[in-house]
Amino acid sequence: EPSKVPNVFDSSLAVLVYTGDPKMFQHPVIEKVIDLKWKKLCARAFFAMQFWYFVILVLLMLTQIIEIGNCRLQPARYVVAAIASLTALMQLAFMMHQLKK
C-alpha cells in the first residue's frame, strides 16, 4: 500500500534489494508480490506513458514528413512541439519531486 510507506526506499522490497541475495527474488512468494505490485500500481501508468510518447512521436514525424515545404502545417508543428515540451517539463517536475523525498 503506497500510502502506508511514503518513502519507497523504506519498503520491504527495497530492503530486500539493498541487503538480499538476488536469488531470493526467484522465490515464488517474492515473485507473486512483485507481480501483484506491477499489475496493481505500475503497469497501467507505464503503458499509458508509452502510448503518449508514441502519439507524440507519430505527430512529430507526421508534421515533418507531410509536405515539408507547406507553410499551412507550420502552426501544427508549433502545437506538437509545445505538447512535447510540456510533457518533458511535467516529467522533469515529477522527477524533481521524487528526488526531494
Side-chain angles (χ1 to χ4, degrees):
E1 181 79 25
S3 60
K4 292 181 182 176
V5 182
N7 186 356
V8 294
F9 298 108
D10 292 336
S11 70
S12 55
L13 285 177
V15 172
L16 287 175
V17 168
Y18 290 133
T19 61
D21 180 20
K23 290 182 182 178
M24 86 171 64
F25 288 97
Q26 296 173 347
H27 190 277
V29 173
I30 301 296
E31 283 182 350
K32 184 67 173 175
V33 168
I34 292 171
D35 189 48
L36 285 173
K37 282 186 171 260
W38 169 254
K39 287 179 182 174
K40 294 258 183 193
L41 303 175
C42 303
R44 187 176 294 148
F46 175 78
F47 289 119
M49 287 303 296
Q50 294 302 312
F51 178 74
W52 180 247
Y53 293 139
F54 177 74
V55 168
I56 289 175
L57 177 65
V58 168
L59 289 174
L60 285 169
M61 288 172 56
L62 286 176
T63 57
Q64 292 300 315
I65 292 173
I66 298 174
E67 301 179 32
I68 291 175
N70 190 350
C71 293
R72 291 181 302 140
L73 289 178
Q74 199 64 22
R77 290 184 182 131
Y78 290 137
V79 169
V80 171
I83 291 171
S85 299
L86 183 62
T87 300
L89 286 174
M90 287 176 19
Q91 276 193 314
L92 181 63
F94 179 74
M95 183 182 68
M96 296 303 289
H97 177 72
Q98 291 296 322
L99 287 175
K100 285 182 182 179
K101 287 185 175 182

